[in-house]
Structure formats: C-alpha cells, structure tokens
Amino acid sequence: MSHSKNEEVETKEMDFKSMSSSRRYVHSARYLHKVGVPPKQNLFQEFKATVRETFLADDPLRPFKDQPRSRKFVLATQAIFPILEWGRSYSWGKFRGDLIAGLTIASLCIPQDIGYAKLAYLDPQYGLYSSFVPPLIYAFMGSSRDIAIGPVAVVSLLLGTMLSDELDPVQNKPEYLRLAFTATFFAGVTQATLGFLRLGFLIEFLSHAAIVGFMGGAAVTIALQQLKGLLGIKIFTKDTDIISVMKSVWSNVEHGWNWQTIVIGVSFLSFLLFAKYIGKRNKKFFWVPAIAPLISVVLSTFFVFITHAEKQGVVIVKHIEKGINPSSVNQIYFTGEYLVKGMRIGVIAGIIALTEAAAIGRTFAAMKDYQIDGNKEMVALGTMNIVGSMTSCYIATGSFSRSAVNFMAGCETAVSNIVMSCVVFLTLEFITPLFKYTPNAILAAIIISAVAGLLDFEAAILIWKIDKFDFLACMGAFLGTVFSSVEIGLLIAVIISFAKILLQVTRPRTAILGKLPGTTVYRNIQQYPEATKVPGILIIRVDSAIYFSNSSYVRERILRWLMDEEEQVKAECQSTIQFLIIEMSPVTDIDTSGIHALEELHGSLQKKNIQLILANPGPVVIEKLHASNFANLIGDDKIFLTVADAVSSCSPKPVQEQV
C-alpha cells in the first residue's frame, strides 16, 4: 500500500517537473526577443553624429548652452586663458606652495638648460631663453597644474641631430640658428593646429611600449654623447650610434682624455646620483636632487676659478650672453630652400614634444585627481612655441624631471612656472657672467644624471609580461635609437606601432564557444574548459569589426573552424553540424566587404546544408544587414538576441533537457 503511494507521489513529481520544464520552454519561446533595428538616419544625421563623436566627444560647447551673450564671451575667454577661471580663487596659501615649487624647479632648470642647449648645438643662453618666455605663455593658457615647461633632453637631442644633418652648427652658425627658430615655429604651428582642429587622437598612434623604448634609447644616446665633456675629449664623432661613439672614445684614450676633467666630472656625477638616491629613498628629501645640480655648478665653477684648471685643458663654458630674449621674428625662414626643411624638422620634433607633454600632464593629473583638456594643452604648447620662436627660443615642452620636482615641492597651480620664469629672468639679467668658468664636465654630469630616469626598466619588464608584441616594439625602438640614430629609432617605433594596429585589424581573434554547465551562458572553450559544445551546432565569436581589411580572413577562418569541427565530429561519430551560429556582440561595425563576405559564407554553408544564424548584432551592424538585404537573405528568423535563444531555437529538446 505504502509502495503504491510512493510510486504515485513520484509520478506526480515527474509530471510536475515535466510541466514546469515545458512551461519554461513555452514561456521563453513566447517571449523571445527579436533584435531591434534602430531608427534610420539620413546621410546628414549620420555624418553629423560621426563628426561630433570624433572631434567633439567631450562636448566642449556644453557650458555655453542657455547662456547670455555676455556670459558666453566670459566663458570663451576663460577657455582660451584658464588662468582667468582658477585665478579668481587664488590665495596666499596657494602662492606659498607655488613660490617654493617655482624656486626649487628654477634651481634645477638653470644648469639643465645650459646643458640641453649644447645637445641642440646652440649657445647656452638659448636654453635659458627657452625657460623664460614659454613657461609664461603656458601659465596663462595651460590646463595642467603640475607640468613644468622648458627644454628637455630628448627633444634637444632630436632637434640637434636633425638640424646638424642639414647645416654645420659651427661653420654655418647664423643659418643653423635661423633653421632652429624655423623648426620651433613649425613645431608650434603643428601642435596648435592639432589642438585647434581637435586632432589630439593622432598622437595616440605611438604606443606606450614604443615610447618607453624610444625614450630609453634616447637616454643611452644622450649619455654617450656626454662622454665628450665628461672625459675632456676635444675631437669627437658627430654620429650618435653607440659603435661610432665608443670608437671615438677609445681612439682618444691615450692622448685625448683629460684627467682633471675626468676627476671633476666623475666626482660630481657620483654626487648627483647619490642625491637622486636620497630623494628616492625618502620623499621628504625631494629637494636634495633638485638643488644638487645648482650646487654642483657653483662648487665646480668656484673650483675651476681658484685653480685656473682651464689652463690644464679643462674646457669651460666661457661666455653666456647677458640680457633677456632678443627678437628673432626676422630670422625665421618663411621662404627659400630651408623653409621645407624647417617645416619637416618642426613637425617631427613638435609631435615628440607633444607626446611627452601629454604623458606627463595625464600622469600628474591622475595623481591629483583632476582633468586636463588635451586639446587645450596642445593649443597652449603650440602657442608658447610659436611665440618662443619669435623670441630666440627653441622647442620647449613638459619636462618629467622638473614636473616631478614641481609636484613633490607642493605646487598648487601653474604660477610655479611664472616663479621659475622670474628666476630665469634675474639669472639672464645679472648672473650669467658668473657661469664663465663653469666646466663642460659638470654640464655633462648633470645631463647624464637627468636622463638616467628615462631608462624605465620596470615598465619594460611589465611590457614583457603583458604583451610580447609590445615588447618587440619597445626593444625595436630602443635598439634602433642606440645602434643607428634618433630618427631611425623613432621611425622603427612608428612602424612597429602601425604594424601592430594593422595586425590586429587584419587578423582579428575568433573563438569557438561552449555552454557553461547549469547556465545559459556561452564562453570560449579554451578559456573555460568545462564549457561543452552543443551537438550539431558550431558557435563562433568574432572579436572585431568586419571591414574590407579582414573580411576575407574572417570568412576563411570561420570555414577552417567548421572544417576542423566536421573532421572531429566524423572521427568521434557524433551528429553532423547543422547550424553555424556567429556571436556578433564584439562586431562593432561592418562594411560592404564584410557583408559580401557573409554572403559568400552563407553560400558555402548552403552547399553543406548548414544554416547560418547570427546572434546579437549591434545597432550599426543590424541596420546595415537590413539595408543590404542580407537579413532577408538568411531570414529574419535566423537573427537572435542571444546565443542561448539561437541554440534553443535550433535544438529545443536538448536545451530543455539541460535546463
């Protein structure tokens, strides 16, 4: 009796489960969502939306909405000169921080500027000029609170190398100087144009890995160039590759080296590196490496003056022109054979300077949790270089070492740049004669210690761990710079960066998906080994937009996946493939070639009696599928919202059993 009752209860439970499962299936089938087609836009609306998203993604005109004309004028003025906005809330407390930071970075920039000018084969005063006018312009127009403006090692070396390829800086000194101002002018025009036209995204084509490698290679090249001053060598190669430099160094070892120069250079280089070590070990002593270069210049100059070491072969700076920047408007080439050369050099150097400044600005803005406007930054940098070219300056940009010191010194606003400019002004007016006995060895030591920070080994190791192709780009740029030249290293960096983009676009990833047990989720079977394939169905995900550049590859890759799957099914005596589902969630766009590839794929599958099914195409894709009539070709009932819906429609019984 009890046995029969148990059987009756079990039967009812089974009936209930069956009914529940059946209801779930009917319910899901009844409420199966179709893929929506967005409202059709006309050509003008589509073009307007594309342009807006490309150039005005940050909606810069938002503050101007519903504002009176007078208010719009004020907002426009503040947009051009941000100092008018944040200056209203400026206080004495902020000025104290900016004053300390400005004095600190001034003590660092003065000796650096003299050395960096030599990298560009210019007289020392031009380095100081470039830390007087450009920082003032940037303080009024820039949006970064922390970036410190002035000449930098990499751009100085790049500019000097490219200019000296066109003109000899000694024999053709006036023409060389004019070409430097011309290159600076067009560097500023390039930067301002990119910002004004909101084309800042173009500089993103240089990958982070390529920049790390290029900066590291430039650091090694700069350090090698300083061996001339550090060792007291008078006859030195003009080539920048490591082989030529080392040959020049060792060929002068018997008679070309000056031991007094070596003692001065090595002693103060050790002091500078030790000061940097102290600053890294304890952040409270950030000021030690900041003032160490100025202390080194003062002590070494005093030492040479009292000992007259210049008579023993120690090369000194000698004369630095006194006074502030003279006008150089009439020295810029606007016609003639050097116009195109200056333009070419300026565009290249300007983009590199812009890339460095953008990276520095974003880094410190993220640390202080505020936003900078990339396009405003480009306009500010461009304007300051245009004005700088007319006031005897060469290319200036954001300096990482000075910006780091500026940040650590507690700067509050760009007023720290104004303070630094004022100190440089006083130096040009009153102090430059005191640098007469400054030995070149100390400038070489300062530059070597400064560029040592550009060798970012931690970043290179991280790049190796994350992406081997990125590491190849990093090492390619590094080795190209070290063993050939700065231009070749930069060219390799650009080529490898573009090669990576092309490789990713032309060879997108695809994956076979399987069903995770107990769910309706379908994932890559290589990433999730527990995911199981659905019998008779092959599910493939395409992880990229389908364009003319990759459409043939996508079609052929899908067919290869199908061929491999058919061979495996045949070997294991399983049910043959009847449906091919393409998961299109990652497919952000498709063009005519992509649709043509899908049509060819559909034709190939029909010959095999396999149905093509699409899952979750995006709004742009589904619109184009309908416009091209491809949706009607495969059937509107073959396009589903999810992979689970597609699978349940293809094989309802197996799915019902697995629920």
Side-chain angles (χ1 to χ4, degrees):
M1 187 71 174
S2 61
H3 181 69
S4 62
K5 284 184 179 180
N6 290 337
E7 286 182 349
E8 185 178 348
V9 171
E10 289 177 3
T11 303
K12 288 181 179 179
E13 287 179 354
M14 290 177 64
D15 290 340
F16 176 80
K17 289 180 179 179
S18 178
M19 288 172 63
S20 176
S21 177
S22 177
R23 284 174 182 170
R24 280 199 300 268
Y25 175 69
V26 172
H27 177 79
S28 63
R30 184 181 301 167
Y31 294 100
L32 199 65
H33 289 279
K34 289 292 184 181
V35 177
V37 181
K40 194 168 184 178
Q41 291 182 318
N42 58 40
L43 180 61
F44 176 75
Q45 289 175 328
E46 188 174 348
F47 177 76
K48 181 181 177 181
T50 302
V51 170
R52 184 182 182 86
E53 193 61 30
T54 303
F55 300 104
L56 304 171
D58 56 345
D59 196 9
L61 301 178
R62 184 188 304 168
F64 295 87
K65 292 179 181 178
D66 303 323
Q67 296 290 339
R69 184 174 298 179
S70 58
R71 180 59 181 165
K72 287 181 179 179
F73 175 78
V74 172
L75 291 173
T77 307
Q78 290 178 348
I80 299 172
F81 302 104
I83 193 172
L84 298 178
E85 182 180 0
W86 55 259
R88 292 181 301 171
S89 60
Y90 197 69
S91 62
W92 172 251
K94 290 182 179 180
F95 178 71
R96 283 188 299 176
D98 288 334
L99 178 64
I100 295 171
L103 293 173
T104 307
I105 58 176
S107 67
L108 175 64
C109 85
I110 292 170
Q112 280 186 348
D113 291 343
I114 297 172
Y116 291 161
K118 288 185 172 295
L119 279 178
Y121 301 114
L122 296 170
D123 291 336
Q125 65 266 19
Y126 293 104
L128 294 172
Y129 292 161
S130 302
S131 278
F132 172 47
V133 172
L136 286 176
I137 303 296
Y138 181 85
F140 283 85
M141 299 186 68
S143 59
S144 173
R145 306 172 194 167
D146 303 279
I147 196 169
I149 298 297
V152 296
V154 174
V155 177
S156 300
L157 174 67
L158 179 63
L159 188 65
T161 303
M162 297 180 74
L163 290 174
S164 60
D165 288 341
E166 303 295 339
L167 288 168
D168 188 284
V170 178
Q171 296 180 358
N172 303 99
K173 188 174 181 179
E175 292 82 4
Y176 182 89
L177 187 60
R178 292 188 65 184
L179 189 60
F181 294 150
T182 304
T184 302
F185 176 81
F186 284 106
V189 170
T190 301
Q191 294 169 337
T193 302
L194 289 174
F196 184 76
L197 298 179
R198 307 186 69 81
L199 297 174
F201 59 87
L202 294 178
I203 66 173
E204 304 294 341
F205 282 100
L206 264 180
S207 67
H208 172 70
I211 292 173
V212 168
F214 171 71
M215 290 294 186
V220 173
T221 302
I222 292 168
L224 290 173
Q225 290 289 304
Q226 300 315 302
L227 292 177
K228 175 185 178 182
L230 197 69
L231 302 176
I233 301 173
K234 294 183 179 179
I235 302 175
F236 200 72
T237 180
K238 291 184 178 180
D239 296 326
T240 59
D241 63 284
I242 187 171
I243 296 175
S244 299
V245 171
M246 295 313 297
K247 281 183 179 179
S248 183
V249 169
W250 292 113
S251 63
N252 287 283
V253 67
E254 293 185 5
H255 304 289
W257 293 15
N258 181 273
W259 70 267
Q260 294 96 332
T261 302
I262 295 174
V263 170
I264 294 172
V266 173
S267 299
F268 282 101
L269 177 59
S270 301
F271 168 69
L272 291 167
L273 294 176
F274 180 68
K276 291 189 76 171
Y277 173 76
I278 292 175
K280 284 185 177 181
R281 282 292 301 269
N282 193 332
K283 300 297 182 182
K284 293 181 180 179
F285 296 113
F286 68 90
W287 52 270
V288 174
I291 66 170
L294 188 60
I295 292 174
S296 301
V297 168
V298 172
L299 292 178
S300 61
T301 302
F302 180 73
F303 174 77
V304 171
F305 176 74
I306 62 173
T307 61
H308 288 286
E310 76 278 5
K311 296 180 180 179
Q312 305 300 321
V314 175
V315 181
I316 58 176
V317 172
K318 293 182 181 177
H319 177 67
I320 298 180
E321 196 74 35
K322 186 179 179 181
I324 60 172
N325 310 30
S327 173
S328 57
V329 177
N330 59 347
Q331 296 191 52
I332 300 173
Y333 287 111
F334 291 108
T335 58
E337 60 177 314
Y338 293 118
L339 172 61
V340 177
K341 294 178 181 178
M343 190 181 300
R344 176 180 59 85
I345 295 170
V347 169
I348 296 173
I351 290 176
I352 294 301
L354 195 59
T355 304
E356 185 171 356
I360 294 169
R362 288 172 187 167
T363 299
F364 290 104
M367 293 173 70
K368 282 191 175 179
D369 193 24
Y370 68 91
Q371 297 293 325
I372 62 171
D373 189 320
N375 293 294
K376 285 183 182 178
E377 286 292 287
M378 284 183 264
V379 172
L381 292 167
T383 304
M384 77 180 192
N385 278 315
I386 291 173
V387 176
S389 68
M390 299 177 181
T391 53
S392 300
C393 304
Y394 75 97
I395 300 174
T397 187
S399 167
F400 187 81
S401 59
R402 295 182 208 177
S403 299
V405 171
N406 197 30
F407 174 81
M408 295 299 295
C411 72
E412 295 287 343
T413 66
V415 171
S416 60
N417 277 290
I418 298 177
V419 174
M420 180 189 71
S421 294
C422 293
V423 175
V424 173
F425 165 77
L426 295 174
T427 302
L428 285 167
E429 284 289 351
F430 305 108
I431 305 176
T432 48
L434 300 180
F435 290 105
K436 178 179 179 181
Y437 289 96
T438 301
N440 284 347
I442 193 62
L443 300 178
I446 290 171
I447 293 174
I448 291 173
S449 66
V451 300
L454 296 177
L455 283 166
D456 198 340
F457 295 104
E458 292 181 1
I461 293 171
L462 184 62
I463 290 169
W464 167 260
K465 291 179 180 178
I466 294 174
D467 192 321
K468 301 300 185 290
F469 196 94
D470 264 356
F471 184 77
L472 178 64
C474 178
M475 293 308 299
F478 176 82
L479 296 175
T481 304
V482 170
F483 285 96
S484 184
S485 65
V486 178
E487 299 102 303
I488 296 299
L490 183 59
L491 181 62
I492 291 174
V494 173
I495 290 174
I496 295 179
S497 296
F498 271 99
K500 182 180 179 182
I501 294 172
L502 290 174
L503 186 63
Q504 291 175 337
V505 171
T506 58
R507 294 295 182 267
R509 289 189 174 93
T510 57
I512 293 181
L513 306 185
K515 182 175 179 294
L516 294 177
T519 70
T520 57
V521 177
Y522 292 80
R523 290 292 182 264
N524 188 341
I525 59 174
Q526 292 183 344
Q527 184 179 1
Y528 299 92
E530 69 273 18
T532 57
K533 300 177 185 176
V534 181
I537 302 176
L538 177 62
I539 309 170
I540 297 176
R541 187 183 67 216
V542 180
D543 293 335
S544 169
I546 304 177
Y547 292 128
F548 65 94
S549 58
N550 62 18
S551 56
S552 296
Y553 170 80
V554 170
R555 175 178 55 81
E556 293 169 2
R557 189 69 187 92
I558 291 174
L559 290 174
R560 285 205 307 273
W561 279 123
L562 179 61
M563 188 184 304
D564 294 341
E565 192 68 17
E566 286 178 331
E567 291 177 358
Q568 184 178 352
V569 164
K570 187 176 180 181
E572 297 177 359
C573 299
Q574 296 178 353
S575 56
T576 58
I577 303 297
Q578 297 176 334
F579 301 94
L580 174 65
I581 300 175
I582 300 180
E583 157 69 303
M584 302 190 73
S585 298
V587 181
T588 55
D589 201 355
I590 191 169
D591 65 0
T592 307
S593 299
I595 292 174
H596 185 61
L598 290 181
E599 290 173 348
E600 291 180 345
L601 177 63
H602 176 63
S604 300
L605 294 177
Q606 279 187 323
K607 295 176 183 178
K608 297 174 177 286
N609 293 321
I610 299 175
Q611 291 189 33
L612 176 62
I613 295 177
L614 305 181
N616 196 23
V620 176
V621 176
I622 191 64
E623 182 182 359
K624 293 182 179 180
L625 292 179
H626 278 278
S628 64
N629 209 36
F630 181 76
N632 295 331
L633 177 65
I634 65 171
D636 204 27
D637 59 336
K638 297 297 187 295
I639 303 176
F640 294 89
L641 184 63
T642 65
V643 174
D645 289 346
V647 172
S648 65
S649 177
C650 297
S651 53
K653 291 183 180 179
V655 173
Q656 180 182 340
E657 292 171 3
Q658 294 176 21
V659 173

